[in-house]
Amino acid sequence: MHGRVKIKSTAQQEEEKRKEREKKLKIYVAARDACFSKRKEGIWDDEALQLTQQLLSSNPDFATLWNYRREILMHIETVKDEDEVQKVYEAELSFLESCLKVNPKSYGSWHHRGWVSARLPRPDWARELSLCDRCLSLDDRNFHCWDYRRMVVKMSGVPVDQELGFTDRLIGSNFSNYSSWHYRSTLLPLLHPESPEPPSPCREPPHSSPPPSPQTHSHRVCEEQLLKEYELVQNAFFTDPNDQSAWFYYRWLLGRAEREEMISCVYVSRDEERVAVAFSRPVNAQSVGLLLVLDGQPQRVEWRSVHPRFKHSPVWICDLPPGTISDITNEHNLTVHWTEKHTHRDCALYTGRTESWCRDSATDQELFRSELSVEKTSVLQSELQSCNQLQELEPLNKWCLLTIILLMRALDPLGYEKETLAHFQTLKEVDSMRSAYYSDLCSKFMIENTILKMEYAEVRVFSISDKKLTTLCHLDQLLLVTHINLSSNQLQRLPPQFAMLQCLEVLEADNNSIENLEGVYHLPKLEEVLLKNNKISTLAALQPLASCPKLKRLDLRGNPVTQTANVEAELGRAAALSHRPPALIGSHCHRHRHHPHPHPHPWSSFTFSLVCLFVKAQVLS
């Protein structure tokens, strides 16, 4: 036993560690309380600077202490000369490096370093860039360091081509680098911008053009550089087909350019004495400076969105004063000015016409597909062939399949529609967890194709039945549609955006799974709604239909609501919610027919039609 080292038990070791932690905690709490006390008393001395340094060295994520430390440093600026302040801040930068070694992703440390660098009398930006290089060599996905580097580059005026070369080096050493690819996507439009397009005939030149900046840049890259980028990214995903960072960058390269901010359509109805305006993006028309001029006279009108849920919407409407344009023998000229964007659009309502519009089609706007040069078409065809070859080697690679779909849409969305649908089906099988996403994306593409077909045919009928649609989009492009057929799909609702179909007269949506009609709201021309074999189970779900003043026919056969007991009584309660006079509610259809109310509410005619349809539906079923 003599001469042997005694081995401590686990319990003894834990007890000693506990005591050591308690000792450190007491020191930490005492220093913290001292800092709080000094700050409360407004003391900004060297001792406070030392105390905060002691605490932040062990815990660099204490935001309150960083705030106190900045207060101390700002006080020092007022009592010392520039050379002394320079030394203080250089020491602060050295201290911050030690904090970053404790936690390289400390929010507080990186934020404080940016603050110090911005206040340094003579900053050494080369040193800061070197620090970023070292940190990114240890972790090339440290987004705190990337943010700081962007700030340093901006403050020091580092040339864009130099930074692009920096991304080349990082990507060359590691293709799987999201941050480098993303940084590259922000630099390319600055270094290789697309040539500006001639101004739109409807666009008014602004009084003064602000200088270009990364925040206001169009984010379009010239075609020559795009073709080089295709080659670079292809090398990346052929090296590792399962790494998603390069695929995401490739998707950005194939993406559509941002749409020009403009008025895309103006529609005027003589019968409703209403004007509808569609924009290229959602706006708040009550705050963007929208002016309506009729026959040279500015009009005082109240703009409202098509649905009360929208404060920002691509479609806005207003009602003209009664009698303004109702006389069919008169001709009228309207102009809608978007003063904030220095753009306008004219529309003429000719004699004998009940409606008129002026618009850019989806093809004119290059909304779903940009026009390609011969060279770019050739390169994209080559890219498609390469991806098809990769897909033969990697048949279950979802990134490859999705990229093939995007290439097909960039080249010829209508010509490749059949292949696109087949690839989406494969995607749902190989990546079943995201099958709902693929279904929605496929629905979006099918709607885009149908809009293109409708415009090529120059009709106002939108038919997209039996396409397995799970969602509706681009409804602002359907402002002029009079007849829509959505039958035999997988839709569960008609969303609020559906209210953008201001010209709609007939809605067919049989054989879906629709439970909600929220978007069938204040459609002034709607006459027929066909909803056979859906999942509408309550009369409350039909409430939005009461806002459609011309609704004459409603088919609800095959919906659970037709089996509701005491349908007419329930309907009466629903009508009462719309403030319909109780005298209009009765138990027999003929009573409404022979004793109309002198001032019918929208529910009055609607209630009669609805009750009769319910009765008929029950008979037919």
Side-chain angles (χ1 to χ4, degrees), residues 203-234:
R203 179 169 290 278
E204 304 161 4
H207 298 297
S208 61
S209 299
S213 70
Q215 288 74 29
T216 60
H217 203 273
S218 67
H219 301 288
R220 299 182 179 183
V221 180
C222 70
E223 185 171 296
E224 181 182 357
Q225 184 62 32
L226 272 179
L227 301 181
K228 294 177 182 178
E229 293 298 306
Y230 290 143
E231 182 179 354
L232 170 66
V233 75
Q234 188 181 106

PDB file of all heavy atoms in Angstrom, residues 203-234:
ATOM      1  N   ARG A 203     -43.239  54.396 -70.158  1.00  0.00           N
ATOM      2  CA  ARG A 203     -42.451  54.861 -69.014  1.00  0.00           C
ATOM      3  C   ARG A 203     -42.002  56.290 -69.243  1.00  0.00           C
ATOM      4  O   ARG A 203     -41.471  56.636 -70.290  1.00  0.00           O
ATOM      5  CB  ARG A 203     -41.232  53.960 -68.800  1.00  0.00           C
ATOM      6  CG  ARG A 203     -40.370  54.414 -67.641  1.00  0.00           C
ATOM      7  CD  ARG A 203     -39.345  53.364 -67.282  1.00  0.00           C
ATOM      8  NE  ARG A 203     -39.970  52.207 -66.670  1.00  0.00           N
ATOM      9  CZ  ARG A 203     -40.307  52.120 -65.400  1.00  0.00           C
ATOM     10  NH1 ARG A 203     -40.080  53.130 -64.593  1.00  0.00           N
ATOM     11  NH2 ARG A 203     -40.882  51.047 -64.929  1.00  0.00           N
ATOM     12  N   GLU A 204     -42.214  57.118 -68.241  1.00  0.00           N
ATOM     13  CA  GLU A 204     -41.791  58.501 -68.321  1.00  0.00           C
ATOM     14  C   GLU A 204     -40.402  58.629 -67.714  1.00  0.00           C
ATOM     15  O   GLU A 204     -40.130  58.067 -66.656  1.00  0.00           O
ATOM     16  CB  GLU A 204     -42.775  59.388 -67.535  1.00  0.00           C
ATOM     17  CG  GLU A 204     -44.212  59.231 -68.003  1.00  0.00           C
ATOM     18  CD  GLU A 204     -45.195  59.714 -66.960  1.00  0.00           C
ATOM     19  OE1 GLU A 204     -44.744  60.223 -65.925  1.00  0.00           O
ATOM     20  OE2 GLU A 204     -46.404  59.586 -67.193  1.00  0.00           O
ATOM     21  N   PRO A 205     -39.478  59.352 -68.354  1.00  0.00           N
ATOM     22  CA  PRO A 205     -38.133  59.484 -67.786  1.00  0.00           C
ATOM     23  C   PRO A 205     -38.177  60.239 -66.473  1.00  0.00           C
ATOM     24  O   PRO A 205     -38.831  61.271 -66.363  1.00  0.00           O
ATOM     25  CB  PRO A 205     -37.366  60.276 -68.860  1.00  0.00           C
ATOM     26  CG  PRO A 205     -38.439  60.998 -69.621  1.00  0.00           C
ATOM     27  CD  PRO A 205     -39.649  60.121 -69.592  1.00  0.00           C
ATOM     28  N   PRO A 206     -37.508  59.737 -65.435  1.00  0.00           N
ATOM     29  CA  PRO A 206     -37.483  60.457 -64.172  1.00  0.00           C
ATOM     30  C   PRO A 206     -36.680  61.743 -64.304  1.00  0.00           C
ATOM     31  O   PRO A 206     -35.851  61.902 -65.193  1.00  0.00           O
ATOM     32  CB  PRO A 206     -36.806  59.454 -63.217  1.00  0.00           C
ATOM     33  CG  PRO A 206     -36.009  58.557 -64.103  1.00  0.00           C
ATOM     34  CD  PRO A 206     -36.760  58.481 -65.403  1.00  0.00           C
ATOM     35  N   HIS A 207     -36.918  62.667 -63.389  1.00  0.00           N
ATOM     36  CA  HIS A 207     -36.245  63.955 -63.445  1.00  0.00           C
ATOM     37  C   HIS A 207     -34.743  63.806 -63.230  1.00  0.00           C
ATOM     38  O   HIS A 207     -33.947  64.513 -63.818  1.00  0.00           O
ATOM     39  CB  HIS A 207     -36.851  64.901 -62.394  1.00  0.00           C
ATOM     40  CG  HIS A 207     -38.304  65.170 -62.656  1.00  0.00           C
ATOM     41  ND1 HIS A 207     -38.741  65.810 -63.792  1.00  0.00           N
ATOM     42  CD2 HIS A 207     -39.410  64.862 -61.930  1.00  0.00           C
ATOM     43  CE1 HIS A 207     -40.072  65.923 -63.752  1.00  0.00           C
ATOM     44  NE2 HIS A 207     -40.490  65.355 -62.638  1.00  0.00           N
ATOM     45  N   SER A 208     -34.351  62.893 -62.379  1.00  0.00           N
ATOM     46  CA  SER A 208     -32.929  62.640 -62.156  1.00  0.00           C
ATOM     47  C   SER A 208     -32.733  61.176 -61.862  1.00  0.00           C
ATOM     48  O   SER A 208     -33.493  60.579 -61.117  1.00  0.00           O
ATOM     49  CB  SER A 208     -32.408  63.491 -60.989  1.00  0.00           C
ATOM     50  OG  SER A 208     -33.100  63.159 -59.803  1.00  0.00           O
ATOM     51  N   SER A 209     -31.684  60.614 -62.446  1.00  0.00           N
ATOM     52  CA  SER A 209     -31.437  59.184 -62.268  1.00  0.00           C
ATOM     53  C   SER A 209     -30.397  58.993 -61.185  1.00  0.00           C
ATOM     54  O   SER A 209     -29.277  59.517 -61.275  1.00  0.00           O
ATOM     55  CB  SER A 209     -30.922  58.567 -63.584  1.00  0.00           C
ATOM     56  OG  SER A 209     -31.891  58.731 -64.584  1.00  0.00           O
ATOM     57  N   PRO A 210     -30.725  58.253 -60.119  1.00  0.00           N
ATOM     58  CA  PRO A 210     -29.743  58.017 -59.073  1.00  0.00           C
ATOM     59  C   PRO A 210     -28.633  57.116 -59.580  1.00  0.00           C
ATOM     60  O   PRO A 210     -28.837  56.320 -60.496  1.00  0.00           O
ATOM     61  CB  PRO A 210     -30.563  57.319 -57.966  1.00  0.00           C
ATOM     62  CG  PRO A 210     -31.703  56.691 -58.699  1.00  0.00           C
ATOM     63  CD  PRO A 210     -31.996  57.584 -59.866  1.00  0.00           C
ATOM     64  N   PRO A 211     -27.435  57.221 -59.019  1.00  0.00           N
ATOM     65  CA  PRO A 211     -26.339  56.360 -59.457  1.00  0.00           C
ATOM     66  C   PRO A 211     -26.640  54.911 -59.128  1.00  0.00           C
ATOM     67  O   PRO A 211     -27.317  54.614 -58.136  1.00  0.00           O
ATOM     68  CB  PRO A 211     -25.143  56.871 -58.638  1.00  0.00           C
ATOM     69  CG  PRO A 211     -25.753  57.558 -57.452  1.00  0.00           C
ATOM     70  CD  PRO A 211     -27.047  58.118 -57.940  1.00  0.00           C
ATOM     71  N   PRO A 212     -26.171  53.965 -59.956  1.00  0.00           N
ATOM     72  CA  PRO A 212     -26.441  52.550 -59.700  1.00  0.00           C
ATOM     73  C   PRO A 212     -25.749  52.073 -58.443  1.00  0.00           C
ATOM     74  O   PRO A 212     -24.678  52.557 -58.080  1.00  0.00           O
ATOM     75  CB  PRO A 212     -25.859  51.845 -60.942  1.00  0.00           C
ATOM     76  CG  PRO A 212     -24.832  52.801 -61.468  1.00  0.00           C
ATOM     77  CD  PRO A 212     -25.339  54.165 -61.151  1.00  0.00           C
ATOM     78  N   SER A 213     -26.343  51.136 -57.762  1.00  0.00           N
ATOM     79  CA  SER A 213     -25.760  50.545 -56.562  1.00  0.00           C
ATOM     80  C   SER A 213     -26.198  49.097 -56.495  1.00  0.00           C
ATOM     81  O   SER A 213     -27.153  48.696 -57.153  1.00  0.00           O
ATOM     82  CB  SER A 213     -26.237  51.290 -55.305  1.00  0.00           C
ATOM     83  OG  SER A 213     -27.607  51.021 -55.074  1.00  0.00           O
ATOM     84  N   PRO A 214     -25.520  48.273 -55.672  1.00  0.00           N
ATOM     85  CA  PRO A 214     -25.929  46.870 -55.562  1.00  0.00           C
ATOM     86  C   PRO A 214     -27.374  46.712 -55.123  1.00  0.00           C
ATOM     87  O   PRO A 214     -28.038  45.747 -55.478  1.00  0.00           O
ATOM     88  CB  PRO A 214     -24.953  46.317 -54.511  1.00  0.00           C
ATOM     89  CG  PRO A 214     -23.766  47.223 -54.571  1.00  0.00           C
ATOM     90  CD  PRO A 214     -24.304  48.580 -54.918  1.00  0.00           C
ATOM     91  N   GLN A 215     -27.896  47.681 -54.354  1.00  0.00           N
ATOM     92  CA  GLN A 215     -29.260  47.549 -53.861  1.00  0.00           C
ATOM     93  C   GLN A 215     -30.287  47.847 -54.960  1.00  0.00           C
ATOM     94  O   GLN A 215     -31.402  47.336 -54.931  1.00  0.00           O
ATOM     95  CB  GLN A 215     -29.486  48.507 -52.672  1.00  0.00           C
ATOM     96  CG  GLN A 215     -28.789  48.080 -51.400  1.00  0.00           C
ATOM     97  CD  GLN A 215     -27.287  48.304 -51.436  1.00  0.00           C
ATOM     98  OE1 GLN A 215     -26.802  49.210 -52.108  1.00  0.00           O
ATOM     99  NE2 GLN A 215     -26.551  47.488 -50.724  1.00  0.00           N
ATOM    100  N   THR A 216     -29.913  48.710 -55.940  1.00  0.00           N
ATOM    101  CA  THR A 216     -30.873  49.077 -56.972  1.00  0.00           C
ATOM    102  C   THR A 216     -30.556  48.425 -58.306  1.00  0.00           C
ATOM    103  O   THR A 216     -31.195  48.708 -59.300  1.00  0.00           O
ATOM    104  CB  THR A 216     -30.888  50.604 -57.160  1.00  0.00           C
ATOM    105  OG1 THR A 216     -29.566  51.032 -57.555  1.00  0.00           O
ATOM    106  CG2 THR A 216     -31.276  51.310 -55.872  1.00  0.00           C
ATOM    107  N   HIS A 217     -29.547  47.551 -58.341  1.00  0.00           N
ATOM    108  CA  HIS A 217     -29.136  46.948 -59.602  1.00  0.00           C
ATOM    109  C   HIS A 217     -30.184  45.967 -60.097  1.00  0.00           C
ATOM    110  O   HIS A 217     -30.945  45.391 -59.323  1.00  0.00           O
ATOM    111  CB  HIS A 217     -27.786  46.230 -59.414  1.00  0.00           C
ATOM    112  CG  HIS A 217     -27.020  46.068 -60.690  1.00  0.00           C
ATOM    113  ND1 HIS A 217     -27.209  45.006 -61.526  1.00  0.00           N
ATOM    114  CD2 HIS A 217     -26.088  46.851 -61.273  1.00  0.00           C
ATOM    115  CE1 HIS A 217     -26.411  45.128 -62.567  1.00  0.00           C
ATOM    116  NE2 HIS A 217     -25.706  46.238 -62.440  1.00  0.00           N
ATOM    117  N   SER A 218     -30.221  45.765 -61.397  1.00  0.00           N
ATOM    118  CA  SER A 218     -31.253  44.905 -61.990  1.00  0.00           C
ATOM    119  C   SER A 218     -30.997  43.431 -61.747  1.00  0.00           C
ATOM    120  O   SER A 218     -31.869  42.610 -61.969  1.00  0.00           O
ATOM    121  CB  SER A 218     -31.316  45.158 -63.496  1.00  0.00           C
ATOM    122  OG  SER A 218     -30.117  44.706 -64.127  1.00  0.00           O
ATOM    123  N   HIS A 219     -29.772  43.053 -61.311  1.00  0.00           N
ATOM    124  CA  HIS A 219     -29.425  41.653 -61.027  1.00  0.00           C
ATOM    125  C   HIS A 219     -29.444  40.786 -62.285  1.00  0.00           C
ATOM    126  O   HIS A 219     -29.609  39.587 -62.204  1.00  0.00           O
ATOM    127  CB  HIS A 219     -30.347  41.046 -59.955  1.00  0.00           C
ATOM    128  CG  HIS A 219     -30.293  41.796 -58.660  1.00  0.00           C
ATOM    129  ND1 HIS A 219     -29.218  41.760 -57.816  1.00  0.00           N
ATOM    130  CD2 HIS A 219     -31.192  42.636 -58.082  1.00  0.00           C
ATOM    131  CE1 HIS A 219     -29.443  42.534 -56.753  1.00  0.00           C
ATOM    132  NE2 HIS A 219     -30.632  43.073 -56.907  1.00  0.00           N
ATOM    133  N   ARG A 220     -29.291  41.391 -63.455  1.00  0.00           N
ATOM    134  CA  ARG A 220     -29.210  40.633 -64.692  1.00  0.00           C
ATOM    135  C   ARG A 220     -27.748  40.551 -65.112  1.00  0.00           C
ATOM    136  O   ARG A 220     -27.004  41.525 -65.007  1.00  0.00           O
ATOM    137  CB  ARG A 220     -30.038  41.294 -65.788  1.00  0.00           C
ATOM    138  CG  ARG A 220     -31.524  41.388 -65.463  1.00  0.00           C
ATOM    139  CD  ARG A 220     -32.289  42.017 -66.603  1.00  0.00           C
ATOM    140  NE  ARG A 220     -33.717  42.096 -66.295  1.00  0.00           N
ATOM    141  CZ  ARG A 220     -34.614  42.564 -67.157  1.00  0.00           C
ATOM    142  NH1 ARG A 220     -34.248  42.986 -68.346  1.00  0.00           N
ATOM    143  NH2 ARG A 220     -35.898  42.605 -66.823  1.00  0.00           N
ATOM    144  N   VAL A 221     -27.335  39.401 -65.617  1.00  0.00           N
ATOM    145  CA  VAL A 221     -25.951  39.159 -66.021  1.00  0.00           C
ATOM    146  C   VAL A 221     -25.910  39.046 -67.544  1.00  0.00           C
ATOM    147  O   VAL A 221     -26.806  38.445 -68.160  1.00  0.00           O
ATOM    148  CB  VAL A 221     -25.409  37.876 -65.364  1.00  0.00           C
ATOM    149  CG1 VAL A 221     -23.965  37.617 -65.783  1.00  0.00           C
ATOM    150  CG2 VAL A 221     -25.514  37.968 -63.849  1.00  0.00           C
ATOM    151  N   CYS A 222     -24.860  39.612 -68.146  1.00  0.00           N
ATOM    152  CA  CYS A 222     -24.767  39.569 -69.602  1.00  0.00           C
ATOM    153  C   CYS A 222     -24.628  38.119 -70.069  1.00  0.00           C
ATOM    154  O   CYS A 222     -24.106  37.253 -69.364  1.00  0.00           O
ATOM    155  CB  CYS A 222     -23.582  40.405 -70.091  1.00  0.00           C
ATOM    156  SG  CYS A 222     -21.972  39.724 -69.707  1.00  0.00           S
ATOM    157  N   GLU A 223     -25.099  37.883 -71.269  1.00  0.00           N
ATOM    158  CA  GLU A 223     -25.190  36.518 -71.789  1.00  0.00           C
ATOM    159  C   GLU A 223     -23.817  35.854 -71.902  1.00  0.00           C
ATOM    160  O   GLU A 223     -23.664  34.672 -71.591  1.00  0.00           O
ATOM    161  CB  GLU A 223     -25.883  36.541 -73.151  1.00  0.00           C
ATOM    162  CG  GLU A 223     -26.125  35.156 -73.718  1.00  0.00           C
ATOM    163  CD  GLU A 223     -27.012  35.210 -74.953  1.00  0.00           C
ATOM    164  OE1 GLU A 223     -28.175  35.606 -74.816  1.00  0.00           O
ATOM    165  OE2 GLU A 223     -26.517  34.853 -76.028  1.00  0.00           O
ATOM    166  N   GLU A 224     -22.808  36.606 -72.331  1.00  0.00           N
ATOM    167  CA  GLU A 224     -21.471  36.028 -72.507  1.00  0.00           C
ATOM    168  C   GLU A 224     -20.948  35.428 -71.204  1.00  0.00           C
ATOM    169  O   GLU A 224     -20.411  34.316 -71.179  1.00  0.00           O
ATOM    170  CB  GLU A 224     -20.515  37.105 -73.012  1.00  0.00           C
ATOM    171  CG  GLU A 224     -19.098  36.599 -73.259  1.00  0.00           C
ATOM    172  CD  GLU A 224     -18.169  37.709 -73.709  1.00  0.00           C
ATOM    173  OE1 GLU A 224     -18.637  38.858 -73.879  1.00  0.00           O
ATOM    174  OE2 GLU A 224     -16.970  37.428 -73.890  1.00  0.00           O
ATOM    175  N   GLN A 225     -21.130  36.153 -70.098  1.00  0.00           N
ATOM    176  CA  GLN A 225     -20.659  35.643 -68.811  1.00  0.00           C
ATOM    177  C   GLN A 225     -21.523  34.486 -68.329  1.00  0.00           C
ATOM    178  O   GLN A 225     -21.015  33.537 -67.719  1.00  0.00           O
ATOM    179  CB  GLN A 225     -20.664  36.775 -67.769  1.00  0.00           C
ATOM    180  CG  GLN A 225     -20.096  36.379 -66.416  1.00  0.00           C
ATOM    181  CD  GLN A 225     -18.645  35.956 -66.485  1.00  0.00           C
ATOM    182  OE1 GLN A 225     -17.886  36.448 -67.310  1.00  0.00           O
ATOM    183  NE2 GLN A 225     -18.257  35.032 -65.614  1.00  0.00           N
ATOM    184  N   LEU A 226     -22.821  34.541 -68.601  1.00  0.00           N
ATOM    185  CA  LEU A 226     -23.700  33.442 -68.204  1.00  0.00           C
ATOM    186  C   LEU A 226     -23.243  32.126 -68.820  1.00  0.00           C
ATOM    187  O   LEU A 226     -23.238  31.082 -68.163  1.00  0.00           O
ATOM    188  CB  LEU A 226     -25.138  33.736 -68.627  1.00  0.00           C
ATOM    189  CG  LEU A 226     -26.023  34.528 -67.658  1.00  0.00           C
ATOM    190  CD1 LEU A 226     -27.393  34.728 -68.263  1.00  0.00           C
ATOM    191  CD2 LEU A 226     -26.138  33.833 -66.316  1.00  0.00           C
ATOM    192  N   LEU A 227     -22.845  32.178 -70.065  1.00  0.00           N
ATOM    193  CA  LEU A 227     -22.418  30.958 -70.749  1.00  0.00           C
ATOM    194  C   LEU A 227     -21.161  30.380 -70.081  1.00  0.00           C
ATOM    195  O   LEU A 227     -21.011  29.156 -69.978  1.00  0.00           O
ATOM    196  CB  LEU A 227     -22.155  31.248 -72.228  1.00  0.00           C
ATOM    197  CG  LEU A 227     -23.361  31.806 -73.008  1.00  0.00           C
ATOM    198  CD1 LEU A 227     -23.006  32.024 -74.469  1.00  0.00           C
ATOM    199  CD2 LEU A 227     -24.564  30.887 -72.888  1.00  0.00           C
ATOM    200  N   LYS A 228     -20.272  31.261 -69.597  1.00  0.00           N
ATOM    201  CA  LYS A 228     -19.075  30.783 -68.887  1.00  0.00           C
ATOM    202  C   LYS A 228     -19.457  30.165 -67.547  1.00  0.00           C
ATOM    203  O   LYS A 228     -18.865  29.175 -67.108  1.00  0.00           O
ATOM    204  CB  LYS A 228     -18.097  31.938 -68.670  1.00  0.00           C
ATOM    205  CG  LYS A 228     -17.502  32.510 -69.953  1.00  0.00           C
ATOM    206  CD  LYS A 228     -16.597  33.690 -69.639  1.00  0.00           C
ATOM    207  CE  LYS A 228     -16.032  34.310 -70.917  1.00  0.00           C
ATOM    208  NZ  LYS A 228     -15.185  35.498 -70.634  1.00  0.00           N
ATOM    209  N   GLU A 229     -20.447  30.772 -66.889  1.00  0.00           N
ATOM    210  CA  GLU A 229     -20.879  30.262 -65.590  1.00  0.00           C
ATOM    211  C   GLU A 229     -21.502  28.874 -65.718  1.00  0.00           C
ATOM    212  O   GLU A 229     -21.343  28.027 -64.839  1.00  0.00           O
ATOM    213  CB  GLU A 229     -21.883  31.228 -64.947  1.00  0.00           C
ATOM    214  CG  GLU A 229     -21.285  32.566 -64.548  1.00  0.00           C
ATOM    215  CD  GLU A 229     -20.191  32.438 -63.510  1.00  0.00           C
ATOM    216  OE1 GLU A 229     -20.425  31.839 -62.452  1.00  0.00           O
ATOM    217  OE2 GLU A 229     -19.089  32.955 -63.776  1.00  0.00           O
ATOM    218  N   TYR A 230     -22.216  28.637 -66.815  1.00  0.00           N
ATOM    219  CA  TYR A 230     -22.789  27.306 -67.034  1.00  0.00           C
ATOM    220  C   TYR A 230     -21.695  26.251 -67.026  1.00  0.00           C
ATOM    221  O   TYR A 230     -21.851  25.171 -66.441  1.00  0.00           O
ATOM    222  CB  TYR A 230     -23.544  27.262 -68.372  1.00  0.00           C
ATOM    223  CG  TYR A 230     -24.828  28.051 -68.401  1.00  0.00           C
ATOM    224  CD1 TYR A 230     -25.215  28.751 -69.551  1.00  0.00           C
ATOM    225  CD2 TYR A 230     -25.674  28.100 -67.298  1.00  0.00           C
ATOM    226  CE1 TYR A 230     -26.395  29.475 -69.581  1.00  0.00           C
ATOM    227  CE2 TYR A 230     -26.847  28.828 -67.329  1.00  0.00           C
ATOM    228  CZ  TYR A 230     -27.203  29.510 -68.473  1.00  0.00           C
ATOM    229  OH  TYR A 230     -28.377  30.230 -68.507  1.00  0.00           O
ATOM    230  N   GLU A 231     -20.580  26.558 -67.662  1.00  0.00           N
ATOM    231  CA  GLU A 231     -19.476  25.590 -67.739  1.00  0.00           C
ATOM    232  C   GLU A 231     -18.869  25.350 -66.362  1.00  0.00           C
ATOM    233  O   GLU A 231     -18.590  24.215 -65.977  1.00  0.00           O
ATOM    234  CB  GLU A 231     -18.407  26.104 -68.704  1.00  0.00           C
ATOM    235  CG  GLU A 231     -17.246  25.143 -68.894  1.00  0.00           C
ATOM    236  CD  GLU A 231     -16.211  25.666 -69.880  1.00  0.00           C
ATOM    237  OE1 GLU A 231     -16.455  26.716 -70.502  1.00  0.00           O
ATOM    238  OE2 GLU A 231     -15.161  25.015 -70.026  1.00  0.00           O
ATOM    239  N   LEU A 232     -18.688  26.443 -65.590  1.00  0.00           N
ATOM    240  CA  LEU A 232     -18.110  26.316 -64.255  1.00  0.00           C
ATOM    241  C   LEU A 232     -18.983  25.449 -63.358  1.00  0.00           C
ATOM    242  O   LEU A 232     -18.495  24.517 -62.691  1.00  0.00           O
ATOM    243  CB  LEU A 232     -17.951  27.705 -63.623  1.00  0.00           C
ATOM    244  CG  LEU A 232     -17.582  27.741 -62.135  1.00  0.00           C
ATOM    245  CD1 LEU A 232     -16.184  27.183 -61.920  1.00  0.00           C
ATOM    246  CD2 LEU A 232     -17.682  29.169 -61.581  1.00  0.00           C
ATOM    247  N   VAL A 233     -20.270  25.732 -63.323  1.00  0.00           N
ATOM    248  CA  VAL A 233     -21.145  25.019 -62.409  1.00  0.00           C
ATOM    249  C   VAL A 233     -21.361  23.577 -62.868  1.00  0.00           C
ATOM    250  O   VAL A 233     -21.555  22.664 -62.051  1.00  0.00           O
ATOM    251  CB  VAL A 233     -22.486  25.778 -62.250  1.00  0.00           C
ATOM    252  CG1 VAL A 233     -23.379  25.617 -63.454  1.00  0.00           C
ATOM    253  CG2 VAL A 233     -23.220  25.340 -60.996  1.00  0.00           C
ATOM    254  N   GLN A 234     -21.290  23.352 -64.177  1.00  0.00           N
ATOM    255  CA  GLN A 234     -21.419  21.980 -64.673  1.00  0.00           C
ATOM    256  C   GLN A 234     -20.263  21.115 -64.168  1.00  0.00           C
ATOM    257  O   GLN A 234     -20.463  19.963 -63.782  1.00  0.00           O
ATOM    258  CB  GLN A 234     -21.465  21.965 -66.199  1.00  0.00           C
ATOM    259  CG  GLN A 234     -21.790  20.593 -66.778  1.00  0.00           C
ATOM    260  CD  GLN A 234     -21.797  20.600 -68.296  1.00  0.00           C
ATOM    261  OE1 GLN A 234     -20.871  20.085 -68.918  1.00  0.00           O
ATOM    262  NE2 GLN A 234     -22.828  21.180 -68.886  1.00  0.00           N
TER     263      GLN A 234
END
